[in-house]
PDB file of all heavy atoms in Angstrom:
ATOM      1  N   ARG A  13      30.406  -3.048 -57.159  1.00  0.00           N
ATOM      2  CA  ARG A  13      29.898  -4.305 -57.740  1.00  0.00           C
ATOM      3  C   ARG A  13      30.720  -5.459 -57.190  1.00  0.00           C
ATOM      4  O   ARG A  13      31.969  -5.347 -56.993  1.00  0.00           O
ATOM      5  CB  ARG A  13      29.970  -4.238 -59.264  1.00  0.00           C
ATOM      6  CG  ARG A  13      31.335  -3.910 -59.790  1.00  0.00           C
ATOM      7  CD  ARG A  13      31.391  -3.570 -61.238  1.00  0.00           C
ATOM      8  NE  ARG A  13      32.676  -3.039 -61.659  1.00  0.00           N
ATOM      9  CZ  ARG A  13      33.743  -3.718 -61.920  1.00  0.00           C
ATOM     10  NH1 ARG A  13      33.720  -5.054 -61.888  1.00  0.00           N
ATOM     11  NH2 ARG A  13      34.877  -3.166 -62.222  1.00  0.00           N
ATOM     12  N   ASN A  15      31.763  -8.217 -58.510  1.00  0.00           N
ATOM     13  CA  ASN A  15      32.740  -8.934 -59.330  1.00  0.00           C
ATOM     14  C   ASN A  15      34.056  -8.151 -59.485  1.00  0.00           C
ATOM     15  O   ASN A  15      34.896  -8.558 -60.247  1.00  0.00           O
ATOM     16  CB  ASN A  15      32.132  -9.256 -60.752  1.00  0.00           C
ATOM     17  CG  ASN A  15      31.789  -8.015 -61.566  1.00  0.00           C
ATOM     18  OD1 ASN A  15      31.777  -6.896 -60.983  1.00  0.00           O
ATOM     19  ND2 ASN A  15      31.496  -8.217 -62.808  1.00  0.00           N
ATOM     20  N   SER A  16      34.153  -7.028 -58.802  1.00  0.00           N
ATOM     21  CA  SER A  16      35.412  -6.278 -58.774  1.00  0.00           C
ATOM     22  C   SER A  16      36.411  -6.905 -57.810  1.00  0.00           C
ATOM     23  O   SER A  16      35.997  -7.108 -56.633  1.00  0.00           O
ATOM     24  CB  SER A  16      35.120  -4.778 -58.403  1.00  0.00           C
ATOM     25  OG  SER A  16      36.153  -4.265 -57.653  1.00  0.00           O
ATOM     26  N   SER A  17      37.628  -7.122 -58.191  1.00  0.00           N
ATOM     27  CA  SER A  17      38.614  -7.684 -57.251  1.00  0.00           C
ATOM     28  C   SER A  17      38.754  -6.854 -56.047  1.00  0.00           C
ATOM     29  O   SER A  17      38.953  -7.282 -54.929  1.00  0.00           O
ATOM     30  CB  SER A  17      39.975  -7.952 -57.966  1.00  0.00           C
ATOM     31  OG  SER A  17      40.486  -6.729 -58.404  1.00  0.00           O
ATOM     32  N   ASN A  18      38.789  -5.513 -56.252  1.00  0.00           N
ATOM     33  CA  ASN A  18      38.998  -4.608 -55.125  1.00  0.00           C
ATOM     34  C   ASN A  18      37.834  -4.577 -54.150  1.00  0.00           C
ATOM     35  O   ASN A  18      37.977  -4.447 -52.970  1.00  0.00           O
ATOM     36  CB  ASN A  18      39.383  -3.220 -55.652  1.00  0.00           C
ATOM     37  CG  ASN A  18      40.719  -3.246 -56.260  1.00  0.00           C
ATOM     38  OD1 ASN A  18      41.709  -3.668 -55.673  1.00  0.00           O
ATOM     39  ND2 ASN A  18      40.848  -2.793 -57.549  1.00  0.00           N
ATOM     40  N   VAL A  19      36.587  -4.743 -54.704  1.00  0.00           N
ATOM     41  CA  VAL A  19      35.443  -4.816 -53.777  1.00  0.00           C
ATOM     42  C   VAL A  19      35.506  -6.147 -53.040  1.00  0.00           C
ATOM     43  O   VAL A  19      35.162  -6.239 -51.886  1.00  0.00           O
ATOM     44  CB  VAL A  19      34.151  -4.650 -54.627  1.00  0.00           C
ATOM     45  CG1 VAL A  19      32.903  -4.898 -53.779  1.00  0.00           C
ATOM     46  CG2 VAL A  19      34.076  -3.292 -55.284  1.00  0.00           C
ATOM     47  N   LYS A  21      37.899  -7.768 -51.933  1.00  0.00           N
ATOM     48  CA  LYS A  21      38.808  -7.735 -50.750  1.00  0.00           C
ATOM     49  C   LYS A  21      37.994  -7.284 -49.537  1.00  0.00           C
ATOM     50  O   LYS A  21      38.156  -7.910 -48.435  1.00  0.00           O
ATOM     51  CB  LYS A  21      39.890  -6.709 -50.968  1.00  0.00           C
ATOM     52  CG  LYS A  21      40.873  -7.038 -52.060  1.00  0.00           C
ATOM     53  CD  LYS A  21      41.864  -5.845 -52.234  1.00  0.00           C
ATOM     54  CE  LYS A  21      42.678  -5.986 -53.445  1.00  0.00           C
ATOM     55  NZ  LYS A  21      43.480  -4.758 -53.679  1.00  0.00           N
ATOM     56  N   ILE A  38      27.631  -0.574 -57.705  1.00  0.00           N
ATOM     57  CA  ILE A  38      28.127   0.679 -58.351  1.00  0.00           C
ATOM     58  C   ILE A  38      29.306   0.262 -59.224  1.00  0.00           C
ATOM     59  O   ILE A  38      30.064  -0.662 -58.887  1.00  0.00           O
ATOM     60  CB  ILE A  38      28.642   1.659 -57.291  1.00  0.00           C
ATOM     61  CG1 ILE A  38      27.564   2.014 -56.267  1.00  0.00           C
ATOM     62  CG2 ILE A  38      29.292   2.917 -57.956  1.00  0.00           C
ATOM     63  CD1 ILE A  38      26.741   3.219 -56.573  1.00  0.00           C
ATOM     64  N   GLY A  39      29.485   0.934 -60.334  1.00  0.00           N
ATOM     65  CA  GLY A  39      30.669   0.682 -61.220  1.00  0.00           C
ATOM     66  C   GLY A  39      30.327  -0.329 -62.251  1.00  0.00           C
ATOM     67  O   GLY A  39      29.331  -1.003 -62.283  1.00  0.00           O
ATOM     68  N   GLY A  40      31.244  -0.435 -63.233  1.00  0.00           N
ATOM     69  CA  GLY A  40      30.989  -1.319 -64.391  1.00  0.00           C
ATOM     70  C   GLY A  40      29.669  -1.028 -65.017  1.00  0.00           C
ATOM     71  O   GLY A  40      29.299   0.145 -65.213  1.00  0.00           O
ATOM     72  N   PRO A  41      28.959  -2.119 -65.385  1.00  0.00           N
ATOM     73  CA  PRO A  41      27.658  -1.849 -66.102  1.00  0.00           C
ATOM     74  C   PRO A  41      26.628  -1.121 -65.239  1.00  0.00           C
ATOM     75  O   PRO A  41      25.641  -0.584 -65.767  1.00  0.00           O
ATOM     76  CB  PRO A  41      27.182  -3.279 -66.391  1.00  0.00           C
ATOM     77  CG  PRO A  41      27.925  -4.143 -65.501  1.00  0.00           C
ATOM     78  CD  PRO A  41      29.215  -3.513 -65.196  1.00  0.00           C
ATOM     79  N   GLY A  43      27.231   1.523 -63.389  1.00  0.00           N
ATOM     80  CA  GLY A  43      27.565   2.943 -63.367  1.00  0.00           C
ATOM     81  C   GLY A  43      27.371   3.541 -62.007  1.00  0.00           C
ATOM     82  O   GLY A  43      27.483   2.873 -60.968  1.00  0.00           O
ATOM     83  N   ASN A  45      29.399   5.596 -60.587  1.00  0.00           N
ATOM     84  CA  ASN A  45      30.683   6.021 -59.956  1.00  0.00           C
ATOM     85  C   ASN A  45      31.200   7.325 -60.561  1.00  0.00           C
ATOM     86  O   ASN A  45      32.256   7.789 -60.097  1.00  0.00           O
ATOM     87  CB  ASN A  45      31.745   4.902 -60.051  1.00  0.00           C
ATOM     88  CG  ASN A  45      31.806   4.183 -61.379  1.00  0.00           C
ATOM     89  OD1 ASN A  45      30.794   4.027 -62.054  1.00  0.00           O
ATOM     90  ND2 ASN A  45      33.002   3.827 -61.777  1.00  0.00           N
ATOM     91  N   HIS A  46      30.564   7.862 -61.566  1.00  0.00           N
ATOM     92  CA  HIS A  46      30.993   9.169 -62.031  1.00  0.00           C
ATOM     93  C   HIS A  46      29.988  10.251 -61.803  1.00  0.00           C
ATOM     94  O   HIS A  46      30.046  11.386 -62.263  1.00  0.00           O
ATOM     95  CB  HIS A  46      31.331   9.066 -63.558  1.00  0.00           C
ATOM     96  CG  HIS A  46      32.425   8.074 -63.833  1.00  0.00           C
ATOM     97  ND1 HIS A  46      33.749   8.324 -63.418  1.00  0.00           N
ATOM     98  CD2 HIS A  46      32.459   6.886 -64.444  1.00  0.00           C
ATOM     99  CE1 HIS A  46      34.451   7.271 -63.781  1.00  0.00           C
ATOM    100  NE2 HIS A  46      33.691   6.402 -64.383  1.00  0.00           N
ATOM    101  N   TYR A  50      28.753  10.553 -55.946  1.00  0.00           N
ATOM    102  CA  TYR A  50      29.774   9.526 -55.700  1.00  0.00           C
ATOM    103  C   TYR A  50      31.198  10.116 -55.658  1.00  0.00           C
ATOM    104  O   TYR A  50      31.987   9.823 -54.758  1.00  0.00           O
ATOM    105  CB  TYR A  50      29.709   8.390 -56.742  1.00  0.00           C
ATOM    106  CG  TYR A  50      30.585   7.199 -56.411  1.00  0.00           C
ATOM    107  CD1 TYR A  50      30.144   6.201 -55.525  1.00  0.00           C
ATOM    108  CD2 TYR A  50      31.916   7.160 -56.874  1.00  0.00           C
ATOM    109  CE1 TYR A  50      30.990   5.107 -55.234  1.00  0.00           C
ATOM    110  CE2 TYR A  50      32.758   6.068 -56.543  1.00  0.00           C
ATOM    111  CZ  TYR A  50      32.285   5.072 -55.713  1.00  0.00           C
ATOM    112  OH  TYR A  50      33.087   4.014 -55.395  1.00  0.00           O
ATOM    113  N   ASN A  54      34.396   9.735 -53.333  1.00  0.00           N
ATOM    114  CA  ASN A  54      35.627   9.103 -53.903  1.00  0.00           C
ATOM    115  C   ASN A  54      35.935   9.771 -55.237  1.00  0.00           C
ATOM    116  O   ASN A  54      35.411   9.468 -56.288  1.00  0.00           O
ATOM    117  CB  ASN A  54      35.400   7.571 -54.087  1.00  0.00           C
ATOM    118  CG  ASN A  54      36.632   6.886 -54.612  1.00  0.00           C
ATOM    119  OD1 ASN A  54      37.557   7.557 -55.073  1.00  0.00           O
ATOM    120  ND2 ASN A  54      36.623   5.540 -54.533  1.00  0.00           N
ATOM    121  N   GLY A  57      36.459   8.069 -58.713  1.00  0.00           N
ATOM    122  CA  GLY A  57      35.403   7.470 -59.518  1.00  0.00           C
ATOM    123  C   GLY A  57      35.616   5.954 -59.659  1.00  0.00           C
ATOM    124  O   GLY A  57      35.147   5.383 -60.565  1.00  0.00           O
ATOM    125  N   LEU A  58      36.232   5.343 -58.666  1.00  0.00           N
ATOM    126  CA  LEU A  58      36.480   3.935 -58.692  1.00  0.00           C
ATOM    127  C   LEU A  58      35.815   3.252 -57.490  1.00  0.00           C
ATOM    128  O   LEU A  58      35.374   3.914 -56.556  1.00  0.00           O
ATOM    129  CB  LEU A  58      37.997   3.666 -58.672  1.00  0.00           C
ATOM    130  CG  LEU A  58      38.844   4.167 -59.806  1.00  0.00           C
ATOM    131  CD1 LEU A  58      40.326   4.035 -59.532  1.00  0.00           C
ATOM    132  CD2 LEU A  58      38.476   3.505 -61.113  1.00  0.00           C
ATOM    133  N   VAL A  59      35.649   1.923 -57.633  1.00  0.00           N
ATOM    134  CA  VAL A  59      35.084   1.144 -56.431  1.00  0.00           C
ATOM    135  C   VAL A  59      36.228   0.304 -55.850  1.00  0.00           C
ATOM    136  O   VAL A  59      37.095  -0.054 -56.614  1.00  0.00           O
ATOM    137  CB  VAL A  59      33.951   0.276 -56.938  1.00  0.00           C
ATOM    138  CG1 VAL A  59      32.780   1.197 -57.320  1.00  0.00           C
ATOM    139  CG2 VAL A  59      34.245  -0.678 -58.044  1.00  0.00           C
ATOM    140  N   PRO A  60      36.153  -0.002 -54.569  1.00  0.00           N
ATOM    141  CA  PRO A  60      35.085   0.309 -53.617  1.00  0.00           C
ATOM    142  C   PRO A  60      35.238   1.678 -52.922  1.00  0.00           C
ATOM    143  O   PRO A  60      36.317   2.232 -52.868  1.00  0.00           O
ATOM    144  CB  PRO A  60      35.290  -0.773 -52.568  1.00  0.00           C
ATOM    145  CG  PRO A  60      36.803  -0.999 -52.519  1.00  0.00           C
ATOM    146  CD  PRO A  60      37.216  -0.783 -53.948  1.00  0.00           C
ATOM    147  N   TRP A  70      38.339   5.100 -49.259  1.00  0.00           N
ATOM    148  CA  TRP A  70      38.600   4.395 -50.548  1.00  0.00           C
ATOM    149  C   TRP A  70      39.983   3.908 -50.457  1.00  0.00           C
ATOM    150  O   TRP A  70      40.744   4.196 -49.542  1.00  0.00           O
ATOM    151  CB  TRP A  70      38.311   5.262 -51.716  1.00  0.00           C
ATOM    152  CG  TRP A  70      38.657   6.712 -51.678  1.00  0.00           C
ATOM    153  CD1 TRP A  70      37.904   7.754 -51.320  1.00  0.00           C
ATOM    154  CD2 TRP A  70      39.950   7.290 -51.994  1.00  0.00           C
ATOM    155  NE1 TRP A  70      38.563   8.920 -51.394  1.00  0.00           N
ATOM    156  CE2 TRP A  70      39.806   8.660 -51.809  1.00  0.00           C
ATOM    157  CE3 TRP A  70      41.156   6.771 -52.434  1.00  0.00           C
ATOM    158  CZ2 TRP A  70      40.918   9.572 -52.008  1.00  0.00           C
ATOM    159  CZ3 TRP A  70      42.209   7.643 -52.620  1.00  0.00           C
ATOM    160  CH2 TRP A  70      42.111   9.025 -52.442  1.00  0.00           C
ATOM    161  N   GLU A  71      40.397   3.148 -51.475  1.00  0.00           N
ATOM    162  CA  GLU A  71      41.622   2.340 -51.537  1.00  0.00           C
ATOM    163  C   GLU A  71      41.355   1.010 -50.767  1.00  0.00           C
ATOM    164  O   GLU A  71      41.391   0.988 -49.544  1.00  0.00           O
ATOM    165  CB  GLU A  71      42.910   3.034 -51.048  1.00  0.00           C
ATOM    166  CG  GLU A  71      43.486   4.003 -51.997  1.00  0.00           C
ATOM    167  CD  GLU A  71      43.873   3.363 -53.353  1.00  0.00           C
ATOM    168  OE1 GLU A  71      44.232   2.208 -53.412  1.00  0.00           O
ATOM    169  OE2 GLU A  71      43.829   4.083 -54.375  1.00  0.00           O
ATOM    170  N   SER A  72      41.165  -0.013 -51.557  1.00  0.00           N
ATOM    171  CA  SER A  72      40.712  -1.279 -51.007  1.00  0.00           C
ATOM    172  C   SER A  72      41.617  -1.835 -49.908  1.00  0.00           C
ATOM    173  O   SER A  72      41.126  -2.309 -48.902  1.00  0.00           O
ATOM    174  CB  SER A  72      40.569  -2.297 -52.122  1.00  0.00           C
ATOM    175  OG  SER A  72      41.800  -2.460 -52.853  1.00  0.00           O
ATOM    176  N   ASN A  73      42.943  -1.786 -50.115  1.00  0.00           N
ATOM    177  CA  ASN A  73      43.837  -2.400 -49.099  1.00  0.00           C
ATOM    178  C   ASN A  73      43.773  -1.587 -47.803  1.00  0.00           C
ATOM    179  O   ASN A  73      43.906  -2.174 -46.686  1.00  0.00           O
ATOM    180  CB  ASN A  73      45.262  -2.523 -49.623  1.00  0.00           C
ATOM    181  CG  ASN A  73      45.378  -3.653 -50.643  1.00  0.00           C
ATOM    182  OD1 ASN A  73      44.404  -4.293 -50.960  1.00  0.00           O
ATOM    183  ND2 ASN A  73      46.580  -3.855 -51.106  1.00  0.00           N
ATOM    184  N   ILE A  75      41.109  -0.075 -46.729  1.00  0.00           N
ATOM    185  CA  ILE A  75      39.800  -0.409 -46.111  1.00  0.00           C
ATOM    186  C   ILE A  75      39.971  -1.748 -45.345  1.00  0.00           C
ATOM    187  O   ILE A  75      39.484  -1.910 -44.264  1.00  0.00           O
ATOM    188  CB  ILE A  75      38.698  -0.507 -47.166  1.00  0.00           C
ATOM    189  CG1 ILE A  75      38.472   0.848 -47.854  1.00  0.00           C
ATOM    190  CG2 ILE A  75      37.417  -1.041 -46.601  1.00  0.00           C
ATOM    191  CD1 ILE A  75      37.653   0.833 -49.107  1.00  0.00           C
ATOM    192  N   GLN A 106      51.015  -6.468 -53.686  1.00  0.00           N
ATOM    193  CA  GLN A 106      49.840  -6.806 -54.544  1.00  0.00           C
ATOM    194  C   GLN A 106      49.406  -5.607 -55.388  1.00  0.00           C
ATOM    195  O   GLN A 106      49.140  -5.728 -56.613  1.00  0.00           O
ATOM    196  CB  GLN A 106      48.666  -7.285 -53.640  1.00  0.00           C
ATOM    197  CG  GLN A 106      47.421  -7.664 -54.415  1.00  0.00           C
ATOM    198  CD  GLN A 106      46.513  -6.490 -54.765  1.00  0.00           C
ATOM    199  OE1 GLN A 106      46.336  -5.603 -53.903  1.00  0.00           O
ATOM    200  NE2 GLN A 106      45.946  -6.401 -55.927  1.00  0.00           N
ATOM    201  N   GLN A 107      49.311  -4.466 -54.718  1.00  0.00           N
ATOM    202  CA  GLN A 107      48.810  -3.262 -55.478  1.00  0.00           C
ATOM    203  C   GLN A 107      49.742  -2.761 -56.522  1.00  0.00           C
ATOM    204  O   GLN A 107      49.303  -2.406 -57.631  1.00  0.00           O
ATOM    205  CB  GLN A 107      48.541  -2.077 -54.492  1.00  0.00           C
ATOM    206  CG  GLN A 107      47.295  -2.187 -53.680  1.00  0.00           C
ATOM    207  CD  GLN A 107      46.080  -1.739 -54.477  1.00  0.00           C
ATOM    208  OE1 GLN A 107      46.028  -1.816 -55.667  1.00  0.00           O
ATOM    209  NE2 GLN A 107      45.037  -1.317 -53.751  1.00  0.00           N
ATOM    210  N   TRP A 119      41.943  -8.330 -68.363  1.00  0.00           N
ATOM    211  CA  TRP A 119      41.161  -7.452 -69.185  1.00  0.00           C
ATOM    212  C   TRP A 119      41.007  -8.039 -70.613  1.00  0.00           C
ATOM    213  O   TRP A 119      39.955  -8.062 -71.210  1.00  0.00           O
ATOM    214  CB  TRP A 119      41.836  -6.048 -69.270  1.00  0.00           C
ATOM    215  CG  TRP A 119      40.833  -5.066 -69.805  1.00  0.00           C
ATOM    216  CD1 TRP A 119      40.717  -4.655 -71.054  1.00  0.00           C
ATOM    217  CD2 TRP A 119      39.839  -4.386 -69.017  1.00  0.00           C
ATOM    218  NE1 TRP A 119      39.654  -3.750 -71.168  1.00  0.00           N
ATOM    219  CE2 TRP A 119      39.096  -3.523 -69.907  1.00  0.00           C
ATOM    220  CE3 TRP A 119      39.460  -4.439 -67.654  1.00  0.00           C
ATOM    221  CZ2 TRP A 119      38.051  -2.766 -69.523  1.00  0.00           C
ATOM    222  CZ3 TRP A 119      38.403  -3.563 -67.267  1.00  0.00           C
ATOM    223  CH2 TRP A 119      37.736  -2.805 -68.192  1.00  0.00           C
ATOM    224  N   ARG A 123      37.305  -9.228 -70.165  1.00  0.00           N
ATOM    225  CA  ARG A 123      36.504  -8.039 -70.473  1.00  0.00           C
ATOM    226  C   ARG A 123      36.594  -7.600 -71.893  1.00  0.00           C
ATOM    227  O   ARG A 123      36.066  -6.543 -72.255  1.00  0.00           O
ATOM    228  CB  ARG A 123      36.967  -6.852 -69.550  1.00  0.00           C
ATOM    229  CG  ARG A 123      36.772  -7.144 -68.101  1.00  0.00           C
ATOM    230  CD  ARG A 123      35.394  -6.701 -67.634  1.00  0.00           C
ATOM    231  NE  ARG A 123      35.001  -7.338 -66.361  1.00  0.00           N
ATOM    232  CZ  ARG A 123      35.436  -6.969 -65.151  1.00  0.00           C
ATOM    233  NH1 ARG A 123      36.231  -6.031 -65.050  1.00  0.00           N
ATOM    234  NH2 ARG A 123      35.032  -7.643 -64.069  1.00  0.00           N
ATOM    235  N   ARG A 176      42.281 -15.661 -59.683  1.00  0.00           N
ATOM    236  CA  ARG A 176      42.237 -15.289 -61.128  1.00  0.00           C
ATOM    237  C   ARG A 176      43.281 -16.102 -61.896  1.00  0.00           C
ATOM    238  O   ARG A 176      43.021 -16.576 -62.949  1.00  0.00           O
ATOM    239  CB  ARG A 176      42.385 -13.791 -61.295  1.00  0.00           C
ATOM    240  CG  ARG A 176      41.173 -13.058 -60.737  1.00  0.00           C
ATOM    241  CD  ARG A 176      41.226 -11.559 -60.732  1.00  0.00           C
ATOM    242  NE  ARG A 176      39.881 -11.072 -60.340  1.00  0.00           N
ATOM    243  CZ  ARG A 176      39.293 -10.030 -60.871  1.00  0.00           C
ATOM    244  NH1 ARG A 176      39.911  -9.272 -61.710  1.00  0.00           N
ATOM    245  NH2 ARG A 176      38.053  -9.719 -60.403  1.00  0.00           N
TER     246      ARG A 176
HETATM  247  N1  GSH B 302      43.517   1.348 -56.002  1.00  0.00           N
HETATM  248  C1  GSH B 302      42.092   1.251 -56.013  1.00  0.00           C
HETATM  249  C2  GSH B 302      41.702   0.740 -57.353  1.00  0.00           C
HETATM  250  C3  GSH B 302      40.211   0.651 -57.493  1.00  0.00           C
HETATM  251  C4  GSH B 302      39.837   0.135 -58.943  1.00  0.00           C
HETATM  252  O1  GSH B 302      40.607   0.150 -59.860  1.00  0.00           O
HETATM  253  N2  GSH B 302      38.545  -0.302 -59.058  1.00  0.00           N
HETATM  254  C5  GSH B 302      38.033  -0.706 -60.370  1.00  0.00           C
HETATM  255  C6  GSH B 302      37.323  -2.070 -60.197  1.00  0.00           C
HETATM  256  S1  GSH B 302      38.434  -3.337 -59.680  1.00  0.00           S
HETATM  257  C7  GSH B 302      37.032   0.277 -60.836  1.00  0.00           C
HETATM  258  O2  GSH B 302      36.411   0.995 -60.050  1.00  0.00           O
HETATM  259  N3  GSH B 302      36.739   0.297 -62.159  1.00  0.00           N
HETATM  260  C8  GSH B 302      35.747   1.145 -62.734  1.00  0.00           C
HETATM  261  C9  GSH B 302      34.394   0.575 -62.648  1.00  0.00           C
HETATM  262  O3  GSH B 302      34.144  -0.463 -62.004  1.00  0.00           O
HETATM  263  O4  GSH B 302      33.487   1.189 -63.215  1.00  0.00           O
HETATM  264  C10 GSH B 302      41.690   0.298 -54.914  1.00  0.00           C
HETATM  265  O5  GSH B 302      42.414  -0.606 -54.586  1.00  0.00           O
HETATM  266  O6  GSH B 302      40.576   0.464 -54.363  1.00  0.00           O
END
Side-chain angles (χ1 to χ4, degrees):
R13 56 190 168 84
N15 63 349
S16 145
S17 59
N18 290 307
V19 174
K21 294 173 190 174
I38 302 269
N45 45 324
H46 298 294
Y50 188 86
N54 182 344
L58 298 172
V59 293
W70 38 266
E71 280 302 329
S72 55
N73 286 3
I75 297 168
Q106 178 277 321
Q107 281 281 26
W119 197 265
R123 297 272 160 78
R176 292 177 172 216

